[in-house]
Amino acid sequence: MPTLNKIRTAIRGRQGPNPVDPALRSLRTALTLFFALDGLLFAGWVVRIPAIKEQTGASEGALGLALLGVSAGAVATMAVTGRLCHRFGSHPVTVAAGVLISLGVALPPLTHSALSLGLVLLVFGAAYGGINVAMNSAAVDLVTALRRPVMPTFHAAFSLGGMLGAGLGGLVAGHLSATRHLMLLAAVGLVVSVAAGRVLLAHPAPRAGRRPEPSAAATTGARTTAGTGSGRNGRLVVVFGLIALCDAYGEGALADWGALHLQQDLEARAGVAAVGYSVFALTMTLGRLSGTVLLERLGQTTTLVAGGAAAAVGMLLGSLAPTVWAALVGFALTGIGLANIFPVAVGRAGELAGPTGVATASTFGYGGMLLGPPAIGFLADTWSLPVALTTVAGLAAMAALIAYATRNVVRAASR
C-alpha cells in the first residue's frame, strides 16, 4: 500500500498541483477559437486591400486616411470596453464583439470611395478593438485560474488564424471577388462566434481577483502583485507598453501594406503578394509556439534584444530588397524576430502590476498596431512605400535598445 501511495503521489506531481477543471478546458478552447477567428478575419481583410484600393480609386494618402477609421474605431472602443467587461462580464462582450467583427469584415468591399471606406472601417475598427480587449481580459482571468503561463498560446492562435486567412486569401484572390471572399469570411465568423460563444456564455469568467498562492506563482514564474502601485513598477509597465507598441507597429504595417508593397513595388502577382503576409504570420506563429523554450534558455532580456535585432534586419531586407523572393525572406525573418516581443512585454507588465499592467501594455501595443498603417500611408505619400516600411525596422531596433537599457532596473524589480 505505501508503494501504491507513492506511485499516486508521483502521478499527481507530474500532472501538476491540481487537475484541470473540464470547464476551464472548454473555456480555453473557446477563447483560442476567438483569438484564431480574430486573426483570420483581420488577415482576410488586409490581403484584399489592394483590390479595395483599386475599387475605390484611392491614392496612398487617401487610403491611409481611410485606414485611420480602423484606428479611431478601435481606440474609442478600447476606452469603454473595460467598463463594459466590468459591468456585463468579459465573456458576453467577447461574443458580441465576435459577431460585430464578423459582420464588419463584409462591409469594405461594398464601398466605392475613400470616404465611405473610412466610415465602414470605423465599425470594423470598433469591433476589432472590442474583441481584443474583451478576449484578452477573459484570457487573463483564465490564465490566473489555470495557474499556468498559457497566454502565448492564445497569441499563437491569433497568428495561426492570420496565416490561414492570408493563405486562403492568396488562393482565392484570382477566383473570387473581394466581396464574395469577405462575405464568406463573415459567414465563417458568425458560425464560430455562435459555437464558441455558447461555451463562454454557459460559464462565467473565473474570478479575476483570485491570485495564485506563492508556490503556484513560483511555478509559473509570476510574482505576487500586492503593492504594485509603486511609481517604479508603474514606470516599468509603461516601458513594456512602449516595447509592445514597437512590436505591434510592425505587425500592423506588414498586415496592411506588405501585400501592396510586393504587388506595387516588386510587381508580384496578387496571389504571391497575399502569400507575403502568410509567410510573416507562419514564422511568427512558429516563433510564439517555441517562445517558452527560448525564454527558459535565453531569458527575457536576451529574447527581447535578439528578437528586435532580427526583426530590424529582416524588415530592412523586406522593404528594400530588389526581388520578391528576397523580400519574402525578409518578411519571414521579421516574423521570427517580432514573434515573442509582444507576449513577453505584456506578460512582464502583468507580473509587475497584475491585470492592470496587462491592460496598459496591451493598449499601447494595439495602439501601435492600429496607428502604424496610417502612418505608413502618410510617409509613403511623402517619400515612397519601401522607405516608409523601413520605420518598422527602426522601431524594432528601438524595442531592443529599450529592453537592453532597462535590464538592470527590471532585474531589480523582479527581486
Side-chain angles (χ1 to χ4, degrees), residues 39 47 70 100 117 311 351 408 415:
V47 299
V70 178
L100 184 59
L117 177 62
E351 292 175 13
N408 292 330
R415 293 171 183 168

Side-chain angles (χ1 to χ4, degrees), residues 23-402:
L24 295 182
R25 279 202 301 267
S26 297
L27 287 176
R28 182 178 178 184
T29 301
L31 278 175
T32 299
L33 287 174
F34 273 109
F35 272 84
L37 176 65
D38 189 32
L40 177 75
L41 296 179
F42 189 74
W45 142 247
V46 299
V47 299
R48 300 316 294 251
I49 286 178
I52 294 173
K53 176 179 182 292
E54 181 179 355
Q55 174 181 305
T56 59
S59 67
E60 289 177 344
L63 180 62
L65 282 172
L67 292 175
L68 193 60
V70 178
S71 306
V75 170
T77 304
M78 287 178 177
V80 301
T81 299
R83 291 194 291 272
L84 291 175
C85 289
H86 178 73
R87 181 172 180 180
F88 300 106
S90 58
H91 289 183
V93 177
T94 298
V95 177
V99 171
L100 184 59
I101 195 174
S102 299
L103 296 173
V105 77
L107 297 178
L110 303 180
T111 62
H112 297 282
S113 69
L115 176 60
S116 58
L117 177 62
L119 292 176
V120 301
L121 288 180
L122 282 171
V123 178
F124 183 73
Y128 183 76
I131 194 172
N132 276 286
V133 171
M135 69 186 182
N136 271 289
S137 297
V140 167
D141 292 341
L142 184 58
V143 167
T144 301
L146 287 172
R147 302 186 180 189
R148 294 184 58 204
V150 299
M151 183 66 83
T153 65
F154 293 121
H155 290 272
F158 173 85
S159 297
L160 181 59
M163 180 192 70
L164 292 175
L168 291 174
L171 290 175
V172 306
H175 306 284
L176 290 179
S177 66
T179 301
R180 291 183 177 180
H181 174 206
L182 296 182
M183 286 286 187
L184 179 61
L185 284 183
V188 171
L190 290 173
V191 170
V192 172
S193 295
V194 170
R198 291 179 62 184
V199 177
L200 293 189
L201 296 177
H203 301 284
R207 291 170 54 192
R210 183 176 61 183
R211 300 290 175 83
E213 298 297 326
S215 59
T219 302
T220 62
R223 292 176 61 243
T224 305
T225 56
T228 54
S230 68
R232 181 176 67 176
N233 282 358
R235 288 190 294 271
L236 285 177
V237 166
V238 172
V239 166
F240 283 107
L242 291 173
I243 292 174
L245 184 151
C246 292
D247 171 275
Y249 177 95
E251 289 190 52
L254 274 173
D256 279 9
W257 294 101
L260 188 62
H261 167 57
L262 294 176
Q263 189 171 343
Q264 173 181 285
D265 300 314
L266 299 178
E267 300 181 351
R269 297 191 306 274
V272 175
V275 167
Y277 182 72
S278 183
V279 168
F280 168 77
L282 172 62
T283 56
M284 175 166 279
T285 302
L286 295 176
R288 284 177 172 172
L289 290 174
S290 61
T292 300
V293 175
L294 288 175
L295 288 169
E296 289 174 346
R297 294 186 177 181
L298 302 179
Q300 290 179 342
T301 298
T302 303
T303 299
L304 290 173
V305 172
V313 172
M315 201 57 223
L316 285 176
L317 178 61
S319 57
L320 302 178
T323 66
V324 172
W325 299 111
L328 290 176
V329 171
F331 284 8
L333 183 57
T334 303
I336 293 174
L338 294 181
N340 292 299
I341 294 178
F342 187 89
V344 169
V346 171
R348 193 67 184 89
E351 292 175 13
L352 289 167
T356 300
V358 173
T360 301
S362 296
T363 301
F364 271 93
Y366 286 117
M369 177 178 287
L370 296 167
L371 294 175
I376 294 290
F378 289 125
L379 292 172
D381 246 9
T382 304
W383 290 293
S384 68
L385 184 54
V387 171
L389 287 173
T390 61
T391 59
V392 175
L395 286 180
M398 184 179 297
L401 289 174
I402 292 173

